[in-house]
């Protein structure tokens, strides 16, 4: 074997002095063991709970990495319920949010007999809006027959439901086109002017959140509210004692999104639709208004065509250097200006027209700023002491804005266009979110807990903490209690071509086939690009047919992620090919998954405009962009993908990483040392034998 074993010690794991109350809860025969069948004492879980309790008591910042199986959810819930006071708990997805609210929190609360109230708060687009539902019911131009079929179900649901959460209506698919027509957004909510304000599901959810001891949100709502000054989390934070951010590895990207500004093709299309509806219903005597609204969608389509056939991210200056793009962008700006002007003439006629007029004016302003390179106002508010209402200070979207003048806040803004197959986004983001996030965290006397299974490179948290400006945070890491040396094998195939070569994907399939036969399917193949995934799927389907291997083949894009995962678990011998969305947040314990194959190390493409600007900045500061940014990012992403394999203490399987850089490059050692301490091999026969020893899960 070319990969020597690495000693993993818990000597660096730090925890405060033992808390007798927590030890009695988490220990052998303790409170949780008596209340929850199957609960077992894990020293790492107790140590993590003690560290969190200490951070809560000190109102300090803690960055905590907990390996798979540590039980980090209970490790933060117990001290939160016992000592946290008013707690905001934010997690990565709405699915995890629902799991916390509906399962984990009730279990812990009941086990502790803790007299705390809990509320679930989602973004407004998750709740049926009485006003927009009523307007949709009056409309005779619903976009599709499915919408016509779904509408009566939603009407009946809105009448009977207590919460109005669309997730509770299983009869209407999550991605049905009717939902945007019957829910509100920050832009099109009428607020207190709405005739249904007293019965509003969003307002009811926010009232419950304000009164609750623990409020469960997700990262997108957390940042959208805090940075954009919507009503919700921004109202909760001033009275909050503890903020716990689970799946915290997602925060740098989420913060970058919400500290910046975006103009999306879809939002402009929605604006045009709502303007036309408002014109038909309340301004029928204004013939110029429908004409102005009808110009938006063609202008959006023209700009998408001018962006070219290829999807990708392109720097603003490079995009504007193309005459057809610059011309199309000018046309879109002119169309938005005309629509905003026409709407302004009629805005006083109704709440709907006033709301659409405000949106049109904002869209015109944002496009003009993107063309001219002016700084986004949302980020200036986030950096401004007067605008930081999340910290209990006055300010907001309509108040005076203080322009930051400290050197770290006068940083570059990166602008680019993100082109997708059917649309685009005009993006503007800060080079770094650290100074903006630092102001949010350090300007308050509350505890901030950041936790995930993947935050460090080895035991080094510096990349993560520097991204978020967590200069004074305590950092702790607890390794998984799983016996990886017995449960898992890391296999790096020999004689692989360079990962950027055209033949690499075929070589990955060649290396995968003997493993797939030995595992009898039951595999994830994770790719760093959709192009490689598509190529691999076609080749793998052919090879399975030739070899007479009847393993169901599932691929990202052939259904929703949740649908594909349900099928994968039920089939028991399937092969699933996935890209970015399957690298994390996917849990398949048991025999259905025994093999994870990763095509290459997940280095971000250096032509990403924001990444390129960050790398240039590091280079200009005399740093090493690869070692300081690209490598740590890749390690954290790889740890997420590798974490799909072993989910319980009885799982066993092989992790195959088909990238020769893991063994050929000097930095490769740093990468595999950051993975769980599996046995390691370069020999195919070792991997095949390990998989065959599992017995195909039979």
């Amino acid at each position: 074997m070319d990969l020597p074993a690495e000693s993993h010690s818990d000597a660096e794991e730090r925890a405060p002095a033992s808390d007798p109350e927590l030890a009695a809860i988490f220990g052998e025969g303790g409170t949780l063991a008596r209340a929850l069948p199957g609960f077992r004492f894990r020293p790492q879980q107790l140590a993590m709970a003690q560290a969190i309790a200490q951070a809560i008591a000190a109102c300090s910042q803690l960055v905590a990495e907990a390996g798979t199986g540590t039980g980090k959810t209970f490790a933060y819930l117990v001290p939160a319920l016992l000592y946290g006071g008013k707690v905001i708990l934010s997690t990565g997805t709405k699915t995890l949010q629902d799991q916390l609210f509906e399962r984990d929190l009730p279990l812990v609360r009941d086990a502790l007999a803790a007299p705390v109230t809990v509320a679930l708060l989602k973004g407004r687009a998750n709740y049926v809006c009485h006003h927009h539902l009523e307007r949709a019911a009056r409309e005779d131009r619903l976009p599709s027959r499915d919408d016509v079929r779904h509408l009566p179900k939603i009407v009946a649901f809105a009448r009977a439901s207590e919460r109005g959460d669309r997730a509770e209506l299983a009869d209407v698919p999550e991605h049905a086109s009717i939902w945007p027509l019957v829910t509100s957004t920050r832009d099109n909510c009428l607020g207190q002017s709405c005739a249904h304000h007293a019965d509003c599901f969003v307002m009811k959810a926010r009232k419950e959140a304000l009164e609750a001891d623990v409020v469960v949100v997700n990262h997108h709502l957390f940042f959208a509210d805090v940075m954009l000054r919507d009503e919700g989390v921004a109202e909760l934070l001033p009275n909050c004692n503890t903020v716990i951010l689970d799946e915290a590895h997602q925060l740098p990207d989420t913060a970058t999104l919400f500290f910046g500004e975006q103009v999306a093709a879809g939002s402009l299309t929605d604006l045009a639709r709502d303007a036309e509806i408002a014109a038909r219903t309340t301004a029928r005597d204004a013939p110029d208004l429908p004409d102005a609204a009808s110009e938006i969608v063609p202008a959006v389509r023209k700009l998408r065509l001018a962006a070219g056939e290829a999807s990708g991210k392109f720097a603003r200056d490079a995009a504007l250097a193309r005459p057809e793009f610059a011309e199309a962008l000018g046309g879109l700006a002119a169309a938005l200006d005309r629509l905003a002007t026409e709407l302004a003439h009629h805005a006083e006629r109704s709440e709907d027209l006033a709301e659409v007029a405000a949106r049109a004016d904002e869209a015109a302003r944002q496009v003009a700023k993107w063309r001219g390179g002016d700084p986004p106002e949302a980020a200036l508010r986030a950096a401004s002491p007067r605008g930081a209402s999340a910290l209990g200070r006055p300010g907001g979207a309509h108040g005076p804005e203080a322009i930051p003048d400290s050197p770290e806040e006068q940083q570059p803004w990166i602008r680019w266009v993100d082109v997708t197959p059917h649309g685009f986004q005009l993006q503007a983001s800060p080079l770094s979110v650290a100074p903006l996030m630092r102001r949010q965290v350090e300007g308050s006397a509350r505890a901030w807990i950041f936790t995930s299974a993947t935050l460090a490179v080895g035991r080094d948290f510096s990349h993560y903490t520097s991204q978020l400006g967590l200069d004074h945070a305590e950092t702790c890491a607890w390794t998984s209690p799983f016996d990886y040396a017995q449960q898992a094998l890391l296999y790096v195939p020999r004689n692989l071509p360079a990962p950027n070569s055209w033949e690499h994907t075929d070589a990955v399939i060649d290396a995968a086939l003997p493993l797939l036969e030995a595992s009898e399917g039951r595999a994830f193949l994770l790719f760093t690009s959709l192009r490689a995934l598509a190529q691999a799927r076609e080749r793998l389907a052919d090879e399975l047919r030739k070899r007479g291997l009847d393993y169901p083949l599932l691929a990202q894009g052939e259904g929703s992620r949740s649908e594909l995962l349900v099928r994968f678990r039920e089939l028991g011998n399937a092969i699933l090919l996935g890209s970015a969305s399957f690298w994390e947040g996917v849990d398949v314990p048991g025999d259905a998954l025994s093999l994870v194959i990763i095509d290459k190390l997940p280095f971000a493409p250096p032509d990403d405009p924001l990444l390129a600007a960050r790398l240039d900045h590091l280079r200009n500061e005399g740093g090493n962009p690869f070692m300081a940014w690209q490598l740590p990012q890749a390690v954290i992403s790889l740890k997420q993908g590798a974490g799909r394999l072993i989910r319980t203490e009885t799982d066993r399987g092989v992790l195959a990483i088909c990238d020769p850089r893991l063994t050929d490059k000097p930095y490769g050692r740093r990468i595999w040392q950051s993975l769980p301490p599996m046995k390691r091999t370069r020999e195919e026969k070792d991997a095949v034998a390990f998989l065959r020893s599992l017995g195909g899960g039979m």
Side-chain angles (χ1 to χ4, degrees):
M1 296 187 184
D2 296 329
L3 294 173
E6 176 71 11
S7 172
H8 284 248
S9 169
D10 290 349
E12 295 179 56
E13 295 178 357
R14 292 164 289 165
S18 178
D19 181 322
E21 184 176 18
L22 291 176
I25 292 170
F26 286 97
E28 298 279 4
T31 304
L32 293 178
R34 293 193 302 271
L36 305 174
F39 181 87
R40 295 188 4 181
F41 170 61
R42 284 160 282 187
Q44 299 94 331
Q45 186 180 50
L46 173 58
M48 181 178 177
Q50 290 170 338
I52 291 172
Q54 186 182 65
I56 289 173
C59 287
S60 61
Q61 305 155 29
L62 174 67
V63 178
E65 179 177 278
T68 305
T70 300
K72 66 180 171 66
T73 302
F74 282 16
Y76 63 67
L77 285 181
V78 169
L81 296 188
L82 292 179
Y83 319 125
K86 177 81 172 186
V87 179
I88 294 179
L89 173 54
S90 181
T91 191
T93 65
K94 288 183 288 186
T95 300
L96 292 174
Q97 190 183 0
D98 287 335
Q99 177 180 309
L100 277 167
F101 178 73
E102 295 170 4
R103 188 189 74 183
D104 298 333
L105 265 166
L107 283 174
V108 174
R109 180 178 59 182
D110 292 348
L112 300 178
V116 298
T117 55
V118 180
L120 178 69
L121 184 60
K122 298 182 179 180
R124 62 170 68 248
N126 292 278
Y127 301 95
V128 176
C129 170
H130 293 297
H131 170 74
H132 287 94
L133 178 60
E134 184 179 88
R135 191 177 73 173
R138 291 198 308 264
E139 272 290 302
D140 57 359
R141 299 189 187 183
L142 290 174
S144 71
R145 292 181 179 178
D146 283 342
D147 292 339
V148 174
R149 181 166 52 87
H150 293 322
L151 184 60
K153 298 177 182 178
I154 299 175
V155 170
F157 169 73
R159 289 172 180 162
S161 175
E162 287 292 320
R163 293 168 53 193
D165 185 345
R166 54 188 262 190
E168 298 173 351
L169 183 56
D171 287 348
V172 179
E174 179 183 356
H175 301 293
S177 57
I178 186 70
W179 285 121
L181 303 179
V182 298
T183 56
S184 68
T185 67
R186 175 178 176 268
D187 294 325
N188 66 21
C189 174
L190 299 181
Q192 294 185 355
S193 301
C194 181
H196 301 278
H197 187 264
D199 302 317
C200 177
F201 290 124
V202 174
M203 293 299 106
K204 181 179 179 181
R206 288 178 173 170
K207 182 176 183 295
E208 291 176 353
L210 285 169
E211 296 171 351
D213 299 307
V214 179
V215 185
V216 184
V217 301
N218 62 64
H219 297 337
H220 279 260
L221 173 61
F222 183 87
F223 279 107
D225 260 23
V226 171
M227 305 314 158
L228 300 181
R229 304 295 171 258
D230 203 352
E231 299 173 3
V233 176
E235 293 179 341
L236 295 170
L237 263 175
N239 299 315
C240 169
N241 306 105
T242 304
V243 177
I244 299 175
L245 298 148
D246 196 357
E247 300 298 313
H249 62 279
Q250 300 176 3
L251 295 179
D253 288 341
T254 309
T256 298
L257 174 69
F258 285 105
F259 276 124
E261 285 187 351
Q262 307 82 37
V263 181
S267 65
L268 296 177
T269 300
D270 290 345
L271 169 64
R273 177 201 65 208
D274 291 346
E276 289 180 351
I277 292 173
R280 287 200 304 269
T281 55
T282 58
R284 295 180 180 177
D285 58 340
D288 292 339
L289 183 52
D291 289 344
S294 68
E295 292 179 359
I296 302 300
V297 171
V300 168
R301 289 174 179 163
K302 185 176 181 180
L303 184 59
R304 173 59 191 89
L305 290 172
E309 294 183 3
S311 297
K313 298 177 181 179
F314 307 96
R316 169 186 170 275
D317 291 348
L320 291 177
R322 300 177 58 180
E324 62 273 22
F325 185 89
E327 179 184 353
L329 184 61
L332 175 61
L336 287 169
D337 284 341
R338 182 190 174 195
L339 178 60
T341 300
E342 290 296 331
L343 284 165
H345 294 325
H346 307 284
E348 295 182 357
R349 292 190 177 196
S350 71
E351 289 87 351
D352 279 344
L353 277 169
E355 171 265 314
V356 178
R359 289 164 59 194
D361 186 68
E362 176 70 5
R365 183 193 65 81
Q366 288 188 341
V367 170
K369 293 185 74 167
W370 194 88
R371 293 176 74 200
D374 297 326
E377 290 179 10
L380 298 181
R381 288 197 294 273
S384 164
R386 282 190 292 166
S389 62
L391 305 180
R393 301 185 181 101
H398 305 293
E401 308 298 348
I403 305 300
D405 54 11
S406 68
E408 67 176 2
E409 288 166 356
Q410 291 179 341
Q411 58 175 316
W413 285 82
I414 312 304
R415 291 164 178 79
W416 74 97
V417 56
D418 187 357
V419 180
T420 60
H422 305 294
F424 61 83
Q425 284 189 333
L426 305 179
Q427 297 273 7
S429 295
L431 184 67
S432 169
V433 299
L436 305 170
M437 190 69 186
R438 184 183 298 114
R439 185 181 292 277
Q440 299 290 332
V441 173
E442 294 185 353
S444 61
R446 64 175 59 92
W448 291 77
I449 313 298
F450 302 79
T451 184
S452 170
T454 55
L455 296 175
V457 179
R459 297 279 176 155
D460 182 1
F461 288 86
S462 59
H463 177 67
Y464 181 79
T465 56
S466 65
Q467 282 184 282
L468 294 182
L470 302 176
D471 307 327
H472 306 296
E474 180 79 6
T475 61
C476 294
W478 294 273
T479 55
S480 169
F482 297 156
D483 186 357
Y484 278 97
Q486 295 300 317
Q487 292 180 246
L489 180 70
L490 170 61
Y491 167 50
V492 181
R494 294 186 184 276
N495 304 317
L496 288 168
N500 60 350
S501 62
W502 66 268
E503 66 266 28
H504 179 261
T505 300
D506 282 338
V508 170
I509 298 303
D510 290 338
L513 285 165
L515 307 182
L516 293 169
E517 286 194 66
S519 67
E520 300 180 13
R522 305 188 297 137
F524 276 6
L525 273 67
L526 301 179
F527 295 88
T528 54
S529 72
L530 292 173
R531 180 200 59 79
L533 187 154
Q535 180 183 340
R537 193 209 183 288
E538 183 177 352
R539 169 83 193 287
L540 185 56
D542 289 341
E543 291 294 337
L544 292 177
R545 281 194 296 268
K546 289 177 184 177
R547 297 170 184 238
L549 299 175
D550 189 21
Y551 305 140
L553 197 58
L554 310 175
Q556 181 175 329
E558 298 173 356
S560 71
R561 187 174 81 158
S562 58
E563 291 168 347
L564 290 173
L565 289 172
V566 168
R567 291 177 60 196
F568 182 87
R569 295 185 186 103
E570 291 176 346
L571 288 165
N573 67 338
I575 301 169
L576 190 151
L577 285 71
S579 187
S581 62
F582 284 87
W583 282 64
E584 64 176 275
V586 174
D587 193 18
V588 185
D591 294 333
L593 179 62
S594 294
L595 172 63
V596 171
I597 300 173
I598 293 176
D599 74 330
K600 64 179 71 172
L601 299 175
F603 287 106
D607 57 352
D608 179 296
L610 183 55
L611 174 61
R614 286 171 171 165
L615 299 182
D616 285 343
H617 176 74
L618 286 169
R619 194 176 294 111
N620 294 336
E621 294 290 313
N624 183 324
F626 180 79
M627 297 301 293
W629 191 281
Q630 291 171 285
L631 182 61
Q633 287 284 100
V635 169
I636 291 172
S637 297
L638 182 65
K639 287 168 69 175
Q640 280 290 330
R644 299 315 99 210
L645 180 63
I646 304 297
R647 305 302 298 173
T648 73
E649 60 188 10
T650 59
D651 288 352
R652 297 183 70 206
V654 168
L655 170 66
I657 302 178
C658 300
D659 193 323
R661 292 173 293 185
L662 200 61
T663 55
D664 296 350
K665 297 294 185 181
Y667 58 79
R669 181 182 181 88
R670 189 179 179 194
I671 295 175
W672 60 257
Q673 285 179 335
S674 295
L675 296 174
M678 309 173 187
K679 291 180 180 177
R680 301 174 174 91
T681 187
R682 301 294 310 278
E683 306 302 328
E684 179 186 291
K685 62 182 177 60
D686 294 338
V688 168
F690 191 99
L691 289 165
R692 285 179 176 163
S693 74
L694 307 183
M698 304 302 291

